[in-house]
Amino acid sequence: MIRKLRRELVILLLPFISLLLRLWARTIRWQNRYDFDKDKGKIYALWHGYALALAFFGLDRGIVVLVSRFRDGDVADGLLKRFGFETVRGSAEEGREGKGGRSALLKLMELLKEGKNLAITVDGPKGPPFKAKDGVIFLAQKTGAVIIPACVKFEKFLRLNTWDRLVIPYPFTKAQLLVGKEIKVDPEDAIEDKRRELEEELLRLERIASGNPG
């Protein structure tokens, strides 16, 4: 009951919270830029712990974000829409054997074919952290969409003791977008091989972002 009341209070305060976060995002001193306009029907893959960092970078770009269909996703859904993202509620694992419904997966496939760019936290929504799930690989294989691994390196940041080790940038810190090797999944490719390839590339970017590139 208390948890429900807290969530409802946060939802009520979303306009104020989103305004504060927008102001916060504008203080970040990005050292590089990214040409989103060149991408059509691409999948941006990221760790859940860098979701806020990349949301700050991608404000008002109309990127589609996959958000949990459970109540915990209500707050993220409201914030992302106010940040200029589009949202689809569900899981990239839907439509796979034993994963339940197919509505979210079909919607994502449709949007990718329309040329929309999609962002997926590949270890979300509940982890384990830094372990890529294969739903994003399945989606890329079915649509032909290219996967672009992404991460952010901040000069000064706080890493929370949450399951995803959420990265919180300090205001006015310098930041650099890290983009990894694009991953194409052909029809004949093994899902597990490509899942490992994506996971290894994201882990490489995370090591750079954390200051441990070795």
Side-chain angles (χ1 to χ4, degrees):
M1 181 65 177
I2 294 176
R3 184 178 179 183
K4 180 180 179 181
L5 289 174
R6 286 176 179 170
R7 185 176 65 253
E8 290 178 352
L9 177 60
V10 171
I11 291 174
L12 184 65
L13 294 174
L14 276 181
F16 178 69
I17 294 172
S18 63
L19 176 60
L20 288 180
L21 288 174
R22 271 186 172 274
L23 293 173
W24 186 350
R26 291 185 182 279
T27 72
I28 304 300
R29 295 181 290 163
W30 296 99
Q31 303 301 293
N32 60 339
R33 296 293 174 183
Y34 185 85
D35 184 8
F36 287 99
D37 293 334
K38 71 178 176 59
D39 291 339
K40 301 293 181 184
K42 300 289 182 71
I43 301 174
Y44 305 124
L46 57 141
W47 295 128
H48 198 279
Y50 288 87
L52 178 62
L54 285 158
F56 278 3
F57 188 84
L59 286 172
D60 299 318
R61 297 291 182 175
I63 299 169
V64 179
V65 180
L66 187 62
V67 180
S68 171
R69 59 188 169 88
F70 299 108
R71 287 181 298 179
D72 289 347
D74 292 347
V75 173
D77 184 66
L79 279 175
L80 286 166
K81 287 177 178 176
R82 287 174 171 82
F83 284 171
F85 293 85
E86 297 181 29
T87 62
V88 171
R89 302 296 296 270
S91 168
E93 305 298 307
E94 290 184 359
R96 310 296 308 287
E97 183 178 353
K99 295 295 182 181
R102 301 180 62 205
S103 59
L105 182 67
L106 291 173
K107 182 62 176 177
L108 294 176
M109 292 172 66
E110 177 185 334
L111 290 169
L112 284 169
K113 290 176 180 178
E114 290 175 1
K116 289 283 189 177
N117 297 315
L118 169 67
I120 296 180
T121 53
V122 297
D123 56 346
K126 296 293 186 181
F130 308 118
K131 183 73 174 178
K133 297 178 181 177
D134 61 9
V136 64
I137 304 299
F138 179 79
L139 181 61
Q141 189 176 58
K142 290 297 182 182
T143 61
V146 171
I147 301 173
I148 303 177
C151 197
V152 177
K153 180 178 182 179
F154 293 110
E155 185 176 66
K156 296 181 180 179
F157 64 93
L158 176 68
R159 192 183 284 272
L160 300 186
N161 191 28
T162 52
W163 74 263
D164 60 354
R165 308 294 290 154
L166 182 65
V167 170
I168 306 291
Y170 286 2
F172 303 101
T173 189
K174 292 180 181 178
Q176 180 182 3
L177 177 70
L178 305 176
V179 178
K181 181 188 70 173
E182 293 188 357
I183 296 173
K184 182 76 168 62
V185 186
D186 294 320
E188 66 275 13
D189 287 334
I191 295 288
E192 176 58 19
D193 290 345
K194 287 295 180 176
R195 186 204 67 78
R196 276 200 306 269
E197 182 181 342
L198 173 61
E199 182 173 287
E200 289 169 2
E201 184 65 3
L202 280 170
L203 286 171
R204 182 183 71 83
L205 295 178
E206 204 282 328
R207 288 193 295 271
I208 296 172
S210 301
N212 301 299

